[in-house]
Amino acid sequence: MTHNGFFTVARRMLLAVAALLMLPGAVSAQLPVIPTPAKASAGRGALALGTATAVNVCGGAYADELADSVRAFIAPYGAGEGSVTLMLADSLRLPDEAYTLEVSPDGATLAASSPAGLYYAFEAFRQLARAGNGKVQSCRVSDAPRFAWRGFMLDESRHFFGKEKVKQYLDIMASLRLNVLHWHLVDEPGWRIEIKRYPRLTEVGGRGNWHDPEAPAQFYTQDDIREIVAYAADRHIMVVPEFDMPGHASAATRAYPELSGGGEGQWAGFTFNPVRDSTFTFIADVIDELVELFPAPYIHIGGDEVHYGNSSWYTSPEIQQYIADNKLDGPVGLEREFIRRVADIVAARGKTVIGWDEIIDAGISPSKAVIMWWRHDKAHRLLMALESGYRVIMTPRRPLYADFVQDPGHSVGRFWNGYNRIEDVASFPEPVMYLAKGYEEQLLGLQMSLWTERVADTGRLDFMTFPRLAGVAEAAWTPAASKEPTLFMRKLPRFLRWLDTKNIRYFNPFDPKSTPEPSAPDKADVLKNG
Ligand code: ACM
């Protein structure tokens, strides 16, 4: 290369770097923090953490409590210097969950007006400390979430993973500032939550899983549930249970056949009996126990894929008579009436209903229900929900279902005109925001959802969840203007190394061959466009 040529190339490179730095969010995205903060700048030098680093508190009891965790976190780094100050004060007037973080070689200040905000400042601080092996780079961060609902749905009906795995995931969710575990505990293969008034739900309904109907019963006791809900609350994560109905009810109707809405073969008992008062007494009793166990203001009632027991709602004389007596519009009208009755049960207990996007048609008041949009191929359902005045949580199959493969070479999992790469997860919801134009305030947030038909063990669970969970955190937390997809991907290897320390068996998008697919039982298969 000539001397001149060298300068031309060097100048172009400098211009390219300058252009990158001028991109909104480029500086935020350069700090080794996931999700990318809303605003950040980096300074000179670093604060060295260790036993000599003083931890000071300015604020109430929660800041004192967190200070103990900060001390425990920094002590192993060695000698250290300077100070870390935790400041929790209404007078800072920071929105809920927002925080600021200022670090110089002399000290760090973590500040917020809410316990969640202070906790998130600590999580960002921890990531910076890990990145510098105890030396926290000087910076100023001013951060707040884009969406209130930043979730992960785990299906433990198809396969059961147990308390320790759930707790590990809650730890990682907290680090990523995800704040909702949507827990799908009830579906066809198994009923996974103890209900005192109906012990057969777990004795009988808890038996089996998606690939082995004879598997011994597996479920969470009410003590387990309380333990997990408390563990999540300590990490500012709300746990929302799903009781899916009127379809996907097979585990419950196996336990109590009198609740069945009929049907034959694989569809026998797929729905609850939609017309008997005893069904609604049962539902109200179960919801009473859920309300006791879960302090979240929401109960998810499912409402998806009812299929009418694949015909029984058309053929049962009892159901047909009810439809005629109540002048309902056939099974469709009956399904809507069922959802309205359940929504009333939930509302009478002071909770808000969440349902899959099918429940829009039930006509529940938008003040009483939140819609989960999942059918990516029916984008108009998102628009309908918003136009009808509902708040909406987005979890479209593409790109937010984690049972879709994340690499074209994978053989177990779903495809539907493509698959779900982490880049697409992190770039959500920009591709659909044109649909929500004018309704942005009604978007409560988004979540990644993991159905586990093809996820029989924790190895595959990790493989499907990670690293995409970091992608959904970026999607849900980081404001659009601060997102920088290339820089997000550049931060990911550090996240993968942290997962290594937790023995998480993730997929490595940078080197797919280094992380081969875990084996799967025979019935685990590829599902295309379904
Ligand atoms: C769903 O995937 N059936 C909500």
Side-chain angles (χ1 to χ4, degrees):
M1 192 185 294
T2 64
H3 203 64
N4 265 354
F6 173 80
F7 279 110
T8 311
V9 171
R11 219 181 61 146
R12 275 206 204 116
M13 280 170 62
L14 274 175
L15 285 174
V17 170
L20 196 63
L21 290 176
M22 278 159 49
L23 282 176
V27 174
S28 300
Q30 276 168 346
L31 276 190
V33 173
I34 294 178
T36 300
K39 285 194 200 129
S41 58
R44 285 176 188 276
L47 169 67
L49 298 178
T51 42
T53 307
V55 177
N56 307 316
V57 170
C58 175
Y62 182 77
D64 279 329
E65 203 180 293
L66 199 64
D68 290 337
S69 307
V70 175
R71 285 186 194 102
F73 172 70
I74 64 183
Y77 281 119
E81 59 192 3
S83 62
V84 175
T85 303
L86 302 181
M87 199 181 279
L88 179 60
D90 287 342
S91 58
L92 296 171
R93 298 193 178 283
L94 289 170
D96 190 25
E97 301 191 303
Y99 69 90
T100 61
L101 171 61
E102 292 200 28
V103 184
S104 76
D106 299 330
T109 303
L110 289 65
S113 298
S114 60
L118 196 63
Y119 181 81
Y120 292 148
F122 178 40
E123 290 290 359
F125 182 76
R126 273 207 261 222
Q127 290 186 13
L128 288 165
R130 282 198 298 264
N133 195 23
K135 299 219 169 20
V136 187
Q137 118 180 46
S138 293
C139 61
R140 271 170 188 238
V141 177
S142 171
D143 204 4
R146 177 177 186 181
F147 292 112
W149 183 289
R150 305 180 300 278
F152 174 57
M153 188 209 83
L154 180 60
D155 166 13
E156 287 205 78
S157 173
R158 272 52 180 249
H159 288 102
F160 184 85
F161 306 103
K163 220 161 49 172
E164 292 318 309
K165 197 66 189 168
V166 171
K167 285 185 176 176
Q168 185 188 41
Y169 278 30
L170 289 169
D171 289 341
I172 300 171
M173 286 172 68
S175 175
L176 294 169
R177 265 82 87 208
L178 293 168
N179 66 349
V180 185
L181 173 66
H182 165 187
W183 214 358
H184 190 82
L185 290 167
V186 172
D187 212 304
E188 296 153 73
W191 183 284
R192 307 293 182 207
I193 174 170
E194 179 188 25
I195 298 294
K196 301 271 191 205
R197 258 174 287 190
Y198 298 95
R200 286 173 61 80
L201 284 174
T202 43
E203 285 165 15
V204 176
R207 274 189 226 141
N209 58 44
W210 194 76
H211 78 274
D212 178 7
E214 306 303 327
Q218 284 183 299
F219 60 91
Y220 292 104
T221 65
Q222 293 204 347
D223 281 344
D224 292 334
I225 298 280
R226 275 187 281 269
E227 185 182 327
I228 288 174
V229 166
Y231 192 89
D234 283 347
R235 288 152 185 75
H236 299 275
I237 296 171
M238 151 172 96
V239 184
V240 175
E242 180 177 352
F243 174 10
D244 201 351
M245 52 189 146
H248 294 282
S250 322
T253 60
R254 256 197 328 274
Y256 294 98
E258 63 274 24
L259 294 172
S260 168
E264 283 171 14
Q266 70 165 116
W267 295 97
F270 178 79
T271 75
F272 285 117
N273 183 303
V275 302
R276 290 190 194 150
D277 286 344
S278 53
T279 300
F280 295 92
T281 303
F282 166 80
I283 290 168
D285 289 344
V286 171
I287 289 177
D288 278 338
E289 295 197 27
L290 295 181
V291 165
E292 282 294 310
L293 289 167
F294 295 92
Y298 304 103
I299 299 279
H300 198 309
I301 61 163
D304 57 323
E305 302 177 312
V306 182
H307 298 320
Y308 310 133
N310 225 26
S311 77
S312 57
W313 288 23
Y314 291 98
T315 54
S316 150
E318 179 192 25
I319 294 176
Q320 287 300 310
Q321 190 62 48
Y322 183 90
I323 287 171
D325 290 349
N326 290 278
K327 301 188 173 45
L328 296 173
D329 183 12
V332 173
L334 178 58
E335 175 185 346
R336 293 173 184 170
E337 195 219 36
F338 184 102
I339 294 292
R340 286 193 297 272
R341 287 177 78 173
V342 175
D344 286 344
I345 292 171
V346 172
R349 284 148 183 82
K351 303 276 180 176
T352 298
V353 153
I354 301 179
W356 298 107
D357 65 52
E358 286 91 332
I359 78 157
I360 301 170
D361 303 322
I364 307 166
S365 157
S367 65
K368 290 195 184 150
V370 171
I371 304 298
M372 229 173 222
W373 174 56
W374 67 282
R375 291 180 287 182
H376 71 287
D377 55 326
K378 292 184 165 52
H380 65 278
R381 300 294 291 184
L382 168 61
L383 195 56
M384 245 176 107
L386 294 169
E387 283 178 344
S388 310
Y390 290 107
R391 286 160 294 158
V392 174
I393 298 155
M394 297 176 284
T395 184
R397 286 174 289 212
R398 298 282 324 276
L400 295 188
Y401 270 19
D403 57 341
F404 280 63
V405 301
Q406 44 192 334
D407 184 271
H410 290 164
S411 61
V412 179
R414 295 168 78 182
F415 292 80
W416 188 322
N417 299 332
Y419 54 96
N420 292 343
R421 301 180 315 157
I422 182 169
E423 291 92 327
D424 301 325
V425 176
S427 302
F428 197 79
E430 270 47 70
V432 301
M433 282 307 281
Y434 73 97
L435 287 166
K437 207 167 168 42
Y439 298 106
E440 290 84 355
E441 294 292 304
Q442 286 166 240
L443 294 177
L444 206 52
L446 54 92
Q447 71 180 34
M448 190 166 92
S449 298
L450 180 47
W451 302 102
T452 59
E453 286 91 338
R454 293 160 197 85
V455 181
D457 55 36
T458 53
R460 181 164 287 283
L461 184 71
D462 288 350
F463 192 75
M464 301 309 275
T465 306
F466 297 104
R468 288 185 290 196
L469 199 69
V472 81
E474 186 83 356
W477 179 280
T478 307
S482 304
K483 276 163 115 173
E484 208 344 289
T486 312
L487 293 178
F488 168 74
M489 288 304 283
R490 250 185 246 165
K491 289 188 289 193
L492 209 54
R494 191 184 302 283
F495 178 70
L496 300 184
R497 288 200 294 278
W498 183 56
L499 295 180
D500 282 331
T501 69
K502 298 180 167 297
N503 292 321
I504 294 272
R505 196 171 170 185
Y506 54 81
F507 165 68
N508 184 343
F510 306 105
D511 184 8
K513 288 200 172 61
S514 71
T515 51
E517 270 188 296
S519 61
D522 292 347
K523 203 180 159 191
D525 54 358
V526 179
L527 193 68
K528 288 202 193 290
N529 294 1

